[in-house]
Amino acid sequence: MQDTTEEPPVERLPDEFTHLKIRDVRSFAVGIVFICSISTCTGMLYNVTHRTESPTFYGPTLMLTIRAFYRIFTFPIFVALRWLYELVFGMFGKLRRRSLTAIIRDGAYMYGRPITITKFLVDICLLGSLTALNNILMFLPLFTMYSIGSYASLGAMSIVFVFFLSAFFLQGEVTSIKIFGAVLFLSAGTLLLLVEVIYNTEKWQQSVLVSAGAITTAVYQITFKRRVGGTTNLGRISFSVSLLAMVSMVLLWPAALGLKLVGIERWDIYNLPLEMLGKTSAAAWALVFLVNLGVSWTNPVFTSIGFLCVIPLSYMFNDIWNDRQPYGAIELTGSSLLALGYLILVFGDVLDWEHFKYEWKQIRGNTKWIWKKAEHVADRQVVREFKVAESSDNRPRQSIFELATRRVPDSPRENFSQLPVPGKFRRVTSTAVAPNVNGLQVRTGSSS
C-alpha cells in the first residue's frame, strides 16, 4: 500500500536582516551615532597601541593573547546583561521574561539549524585559526609602520578582496562600477605601500603584512558566511566571538612563548606593564562588543562607513599624539583614492554609470539654479537700497532709471543734478560706478 501521508512543512527561519532597513529618522540617527563611535574608538586605539612599545617591552603576540582572553567573556557578559534587561522590563509587562538557560540556549544556537559535531569542530578550528593568523598579520605592523593613517587605509583594503572572493565563491554581482572601485582601491594601496618604502626604509616590509592581513580578513568573512551563515542575533554573534577567542588564545599563547625564547619579543613575565595591557585589552574588547551591536542593530552601510571614517581620524590622532610630520602628496592621494574606491564598492549595489551621469547633471543644474537665485537676490537687494536712498533724500524723488543713467561728471564742479533728457536717451555705452552722490553709489551710463 502506498503511503499517502503528507510530510509536515519545513520550518523556515524568519529573515533576520529585515529590521536593519532604514525606515525612519530614529534608525538613521542610531546609524550616525554608531559611525562616530566606532571610527573614534578605533582611531584612538590604533594610536594608543602604536605608542606602547618600549625598550623593555615588545610583545605583540602576548598582547593578542591577553586580548583573546578578554574576548572569551563576551558571551557571558551578554547573557548577564540580557537576563537583567528582561528581568527589569518583564516586571512592567513590556517584555517576556526568559530563564537564564533559555538565553544561553538561544545564543548557543549559532548556526540557526541542526548540524553534526564533526562539522562544528571543523568549522571552529578553521575559523579560529584564521582569526589568530589575521590578528598576527594585522597587529604586528601597528608598532613599526611610518603612518597610522596608512595602516588604517591598508587595513580597509579587505573590502576589495571580499568583492573578488564573493564574486568567485558566493556568486556575487560584478558590475563595471564595482570593477572601477576595485581598480581605484588597488591603485591607492600601491601608493600607500610606496609611502612606506620611501619613508620607512628599515621596516617597510611590515606594511606588506597589513595587506596580507586584509586578505585573511576577507577569507575569514567569506568562510564564515559559507560555513556558518549570516545572522544579526546578538546572542549568537557573542557566542561565536567567545568560542573563536578560546581557539585563538590556545594558538597564540604557544606562539608568544616561542617568539620570546628566540628573542623576537622582549618581555618579562614578572615585570609586565599590567596597567597598559589591561586598559588596551579592555578597550579592544569594548570595541568588539560595539561592532557586534552595530552588526545586530544598524544597517551594514553604517558599519562600512564607520570603518572608512577610521582613516581620517587615525591621521588626526596621529597628529595630536605622535607629532607627525606634514603628509606628502603621495600619501594624501593614496588615501583619497582609497576612500573614493571604498564608497564606490559600498554603494555599488545601488549605483551604476547612468545613475552617476544623472546625479552629475542634477548637481550641475542645481548649481546653476543656485547661482541664478543668488544673482536675483543680489539684484533685489540693490533695488531695495535704491528705494531706501530715495526715501531718505530731501530732494525730489527720482526714478531708479534716472539714477541708473546718471552720467559720470567731467569735473568735480559739474552739477550732479543735471540729467540727460529722457526723450533723447538712446543707449548706454558705459556702466561705470559713479562717486558717492548724497551718500549713494549708483551705476551710470553715458548716452549717445
Side-chain angles (χ1 to χ4, degrees):
M1 180 182 296
Q2 185 178 2
D3 186 8
T4 58
T5 306
E6 296 183 359
E7 296 182 358
V10 178
E11 182 181 0
R12 297 184 180 273
L13 294 175
D15 183 10
E16 294 184 340
F17 299 90
T18 304
H19 69 283
L20 299 183
K21 296 180 180 179
I22 305 174
R23 293 187 174 89
D24 49 21
V25 178
R26 177 179 174 274
S27 58
F28 183 79
V30 171
I32 296 299
V33 171
F34 174 72
I35 290 175
C36 298
S37 302
I38 191 175
S39 57
T40 303
C41 294
T42 306
M44 293 178 65
L45 185 61
Y46 283 167
N47 283 273
V48 170
T49 306
H50 180 71
R51 304 173 63 194
T52 55
E53 183 182 3
S54 64
T56 59
F57 178 78
Y58 175 71
T61 313
L62 177 64
M63 295 180 67
L64 288 174
T65 305
I66 298 175
R67 291 188 178 189
F69 175 74
Y70 272 67
R71 290 200 306 272
I72 292 176
F73 296 97
T74 302
F75 184 63
I77 292 176
F78 163 79
V79 171
L81 293 177
R82 183 68 189 183
W83 182 76
L84 289 175
Y85 175 79
E86 294 186 1
L87 178 64
V88 172
F89 285 89
M91 295 173 60
F92 301 97
K94 298 182 179 180
L95 191 67
R96 182 176 63 87
R97 294 173 58 182
R98 294 181 298 171
S99 63
L100 199 63
T101 306
I103 296 175
I104 295 174
R105 185 171 57 249
D106 178 68
Y109 197 55
M110 187 175 70
Y111 286 81
R113 63 185 186 277
I115 58 169
T116 62
I117 187 64
T118 304
K119 176 178 174 55
F120 176 77
L121 292 177
V122 170
D123 291 348
I124 293 304
C125 292
L126 177 61
L127 293 172
S129 302
L130 287 174
T131 302
L133 178 61
N134 175 255
N135 290 337
I136 293 175
L137 293 176
M138 294 294 295
F139 195 69
L140 289 179
L142 187 56
F143 296 89
T144 57
M145 283 195 65
Y146 171 74
S147 172
I148 302 300
S150 296
Y151 170 84
S153 301
L154 292 173
M157 289 186 65
S158 60
I159 187 174
V160 72
F161 298 119
V162 169
F163 165 68
F164 288 126
L165 293 176
S166 61
F168 283 104
F169 297 103
L170 299 180
Q171 288 75 47
E173 184 180 3
V174 179
T175 60
S176 59
I177 191 66
K178 284 188 175 183
I179 295 176
F180 176 69
V183 171
L184 285 180
F185 235 113
L186 296 177
S187 302
T190 304
L191 290 177
L192 294 174
L193 288 175
L194 183 61
V195 171
E196 291 294 323
V197 173
I198 295 175
Y199 296 102
N200 193 10
T201 56
E202 296 182 358
K203 299 180 179 180
W204 65 268
Q205 296 86 352
Q206 299 283 349
S207 58
V208 180
L209 295 180
V210 183
S211 302
I215 296 175
T216 57
T217 301
V219 172
Y220 169 83
Q221 293 178 358
I222 298 299
T223 304
F224 194 96
K225 180 71 175 179
R226 284 182 61 90
R227 303 290 299 182
V228 179
T231 181
T232 61
N233 186 298
L234 186 57
R236 297 173 189 175
I237 296 174
S238 301
F239 179 77
S240 63
V241 169
S242 296
L243 196 60
L244 296 178
M246 293 176 61
V247 179
S248 299
M249 192 183 70
V250 170
L251 297 175
L252 289 171
W253 175 240
L257 290 177
L259 293 175
K260 180 183 182 303
L261 291 176
V262 298
I264 296 178
E265 294 193 0
R266 305 183 305 272
W267 48 271
D268 184 4
I269 193 66
Y270 299 105
N271 191 24
L272 292 175
L274 296 179
E275 182 179 0
M276 181 272 295
L277 292 174
K279 289 181 178 179
T280 56
S281 299
W285 174 84
L287 181 61
V288 170
F289 203 85
L290 180 63
V291 172
N292 293 344
L293 290 176
V295 172
S296 179
W297 291 350
T298 64
N299 192 282
V301 172
F302 292 116
T303 307
S304 301
I305 296 178
F307 282 110
L308 175 61
C309 293
V310 172
I311 299 173
L313 288 177
S314 297
Y315 279 116
M316 184 185 73
F317 291 123
N318 195 16
D319 282 335
I320 295 174
W321 291 334
N322 299 328
D323 297 328
R324 198 21 233 283
Q325 298 297 321
Y327 301 103
I330 298 178
E331 186 173 359
L332 294 178
T333 303
S335 298
S336 301
L337 288 178
L338 188 139
L340 180 60
Y342 195 103
L343 291 175
I344 291 175
L345 283 176
V346 169
F347 296 101
D349 293 327
V350 295
L351 297 178
D352 52 22
W353 289 114
E354 295 299 326
H355 187 85
F356 270 108
K357 292 179 182 179
Y358 172 78
E359 291 296 336
W360 175 247
K361 291 181 180 179
Q362 290 293 105
I363 291 173
R364 291 183 62 186
N366 291 336
T367 304
K368 293 180 180 179
W369 181 85
I370 292 173
W371 182 256
K372 291 181 179 179
K373 189 70 175 178
E375 290 181 343
H376 179 66
V377 172
D379 292 340
R380 293 183 61 184
Q381 182 65 23
V382 171
V383 172
R384 191 179 297 109
E385 291 178 358
F386 278 135
K387 291 183 178 180
V388 171
E390 284 182 325
S391 62
S392 61
D393 197 348
N394 294 326
R395 295 183 296 103
R397 290 189 177 183
Q398 300 171 347
S399 66
I400 296 177
F401 172 78
E402 292 174 329
L403 289 172
T405 57
R406 187 189 299 274
R407 62 186 178 86
V408 180
D410 297 330
S411 66
R413 296 181 181 180
E414 186 173 352
N415 186 6
F416 280 95
S417 64
Q418 184 180 359
L419 296 174
V421 180
K424 296 182 179 180
F425 181 80
R426 294 291 182 268
R427 60 188 178 89
V428 176
T429 59
S430 175
T431 57
V433 178
N436 194 318
V437 183
N438 296 328
L440 175 65
Q441 282 189 344
V442 296
R443 292 186 178 274
T444 64
S446 59
S447 60
S448 60

